Amino acid sequence: VRQGKDFHSHSAGFEAWMRSRGDSVTTFTAENAAEQFGVVKSSYEAVPLPSIRAYQARVKSLGKPKESLELVCEPIPQALEWGEVLVSMRAAPLNPADLYDVQTGGPHGIEALKTPFIAGNDGVGTIVKVGPGVKNLQEGDWILPFTPHLGTWRSLAVVKEKDTLKIPVDLMPMEYAAMMRELCVAYRLLEDYGNLRPGDTVILNAANSTVGQVVIQLCHLLKLRSVAVVRDLGSMDRVAPWLKTLGANEVLADTGSLKKELEKHKYFAKPKLALDCVGGQSAARLADTLDDSAPLVIYGCMSGRAPSWPWNQWVFKQMQVNGFNLRKWMKTNKKKIPDMMEAIAKLVNADKLRVTHTEYELGTEFDEALDHAMEEGRSTKILLKVKDIGVTY
């Protein structure tokens, strides 16, 4: 760096060099060093933990959940090391993604989970003890998992502080905090895509899922119209009226031509946004209904089949296809997370967002919870609650 007459010191020249580097320069702190290289055990005192055998839903081998999962009682670590916290899990949902992990070891494209491992990606817990080096958490705080595969289907967990997301205590009922991921997904899908205005139509499949229920209710609050698409498993006479009470304008079976069904119902407002978490032919049916240049957002693939569309969808209708992953969004938008959660909490606490859920006790009703979670066509979220953390020894 060439120094001009305005530079009278080495420090001024160094600062000019730093500015010339722009965003390519990152500060390497003591925390970065501790995370990358670890901390010498002799430099701190570990925090001892009581002798407790905690409940865990453990995956002993990949395959069918009923055969692969077992509920065990295992000792927690004897002490908290640098940067670790002891979390009492209070509630954790049984999601399709969790069951997919049990069957396959995780999504395609990442290193498969090695058995045995503890199942569960989502949930809410409270901090029981903090270890050395923990800066932003204290006993009694509420936390959510910030990284996947933390193993939330257990009563007690020792995890790294950096793998958790602190939320305000009593932000919303525990049950809803455990479902925060789905609530946030629904919120972001409507906030970030389609440039929607009152009166516009949103079409979505798997509308009886947790995300689907929340999207429908948010559409109603935002004065958007929603077309709910669900699989016809012989219960449409029950599911359709229920979804309409949530705010759906139309409820259609996920079969045949949705476009023709809408025309038959004299519903001529072409959707400005389609939300797909099924994939395969279901996604293609959604795309067929869209207005020109309207986006289709893929946020899941419950069928396990990738969607495909005719070439004219791309060329003549200029369809836009986007993918959405909440964890990636949160990593790049950390400053927006508190406002998003506060907005959702206000709606939940005002009873303007409701999610049908059924609770089971982890230590005594895990098998029943798993059976219920695997039922086809269910319209209720399955939650594992924890009152009994385990046994002392």
Side-chain angles (χ1 to χ4, degrees):
V1 177
R2 180 178 296 173
Q3 295 187 6
K5 62 181 179 180
D6 295 332
F7 294 92
H8 302 290
S9 68
H10 291 294
S11 62
F14 178 73
E15 289 167 6
W17 176 75
M18 289 288 285
R19 285 195 297 271
S20 73
R21 295 289 303 275
D23 294 335
S24 65
V25 176
T26 57
T27 305
F28 194 74
T29 65
E31 287 78 10
N32 299 138
E35 182 178 336
Q36 184 170 345
F37 303 110
V39 178
V40 179
K41 286 193 175 185
S42 60
S43 65
Y44 66 87
E45 290 188 13
V47 175
L49 294 178
S51 299
I52 297 177
R53 295 183 185 274
Y55 293 112
Q56 302 176 355
R58 187 169 62 189
V59 181
K60 56 186 178 181
S61 61
L62 300 181
K64 296 179 180 179
K66 287 293 291 182
E67 300 171 2
S68 301
L69 281 161
E70 59 178 356
L71 186 68
V72 297
C73 230
E74 291 290 338
I76 64 173
Q78 295 180 341
L80 294 175
E81 302 297 341
W82 186 269
E84 292 182 338
V85 293
L86 177 64
V87 179
S88 172
M89 292 303 304
R90 304 300 298 277
L94 276 69
N95 290 326
D98 301 319
L99 299 178
Y100 184 80
D101 287 347
V102 174
Q103 294 170 313
T104 66
H108 178 73
I110 69 168
E111 185 177 351
L113 296 169
K114 295 180 180 179
T115 57
F117 63 88
I118 301 168
N121 288 277
D122 300 300
V124 61
T126 57
I127 300 297
V128 180
K129 275 187 177 294
V130 298
V134 173
K135 291 188 174 182
N136 300 313
L137 293 175
Q138 59 185 6
E139 294 180 14
D141 284 346
W142 285 22
I143 61 96
L144 306 175
F146 192 66
T147 57
H149 311 307
L150 278 189
T152 56
W153 295 2
R154 50 178 156 176
S155 55
L156 292 172
V158 171
V159 299
K160 291 285 189 180
E161 178 189 24
K162 65 181 180 63
D163 293 332
T164 67
L165 176 65
K166 179 181 175 180
I167 63 173
V169 173
D170 296 325
L171 175 68
M172 63 180 71
M174 276 274 185
E175 298 77 16
Y176 282 83
M179 296 183 279
M180 182 63 82
R181 187 176 62 82
E182 286 104 324
L183 297 174
C184 291
V185 167
Y187 184 92
R188 293 256 59 93
L189 290 174
L190 295 179
E191 180 77 9
D192 297 344
Y193 298 97
N195 193 24
L196 301 169
R197 299 179 180 180
D200 286 345
T201 295
V202 177
I203 188 169
L204 64 152
N205 54 22
N208 58 332
S209 67
T210 303
V211 173
Q213 293 177 47
V214 178
V215 165
I216 291 169
Q217 293 172 81
L218 288 175
C219 283
H220 181 68
L221 293 170
L222 295 169
K223 302 188 185 309
L224 301 169
R225 293 184 282 184
S226 60
V227 176
V229 179
V230 294
R231 285 195 300 164
D232 186 359
L233 298 174
S235 57
M236 286 293 288
D237 56 340
R238 176 181 58 82
V239 173
W242 167 60
L243 290 176
K244 287 188 175 182
T245 63
L246 296 181
N249 295 84
E250 295 286 343
V251 180
L252 303 178
D254 196 355
T255 186
S257 171
L258 298 178
K259 181 179 180 181
K260 290 181 179 178
E261 281 298 309
L262 288 174
E263 292 172 352
K264 189 185 301 181
H265 286 72
K266 300 188 183 303
Y267 194 97
F268 300 113
K270 290 186 177 181
K272 300 290 187 181
L273 175 66
L275 304 175
D276 167 52
C277 70
V278 177
Q281 286 301 308
S282 180
R285 283 190 279 267
L286 294 185
D288 190 40
T289 69
L290 282 173
D291 198 5
D292 290 355
S293 301
L296 182 145
V297 184
I298 300 172
Y299 65 98
C301 190
M302 295 171 65
S303 71
R305 294 186 290 273
S308 60
W309 296 276
W311 67 272
N312 58 303
Q313 292 277 4
W314 301 102
V315 176
F316 295 115
K317 296 190 70 174
Q318 294 185 318
M319 185 178 69
Q320 305 173 37
V321 178
N322 300 274
F324 179 75
N325 179 279
L326 181 69
R327 293 191 192 278
K328 288 191 174 182
W329 182 92
M330 292 175 76
K331 283 184 178 180
T332 55
N333 295 274
K334 288 185 178 181
K335 292 182 179 179
K336 295 182 180 180
I337 295 174
D339 288 343
M340 173 180 66
M341 290 188 174
E342 183 180 350
I344 292 170
K346 286 180 179 178
L347 295 174
V348 170
N349 295 332
D351 207 25
K352 292 184 177 180
L353 282 182
R354 300 180 183 179
V355 177
T356 305
H357 60 277
T358 306
E359 301 175 6
Y360 293 90
E361 174 65 25
L362 171 64
T364 57
E365 300 175 318
F366 178 72
D367 287 340
E368 293 90 333
L370 187 58
D371 287 337
H372 198 173
M374 296 179 67
E375 283 184 11
E376 284 197 337
R378 63 178 173 79
S379 299
T380 181
K381 170 64 68 178
I382 309 303
L383 288 180
L384 294 172
K385 296 293 289 292
V386 181
K387 295 179 181 177
D388 179 11
I389 62 171
V391 296
T392 58
Y393 66 95

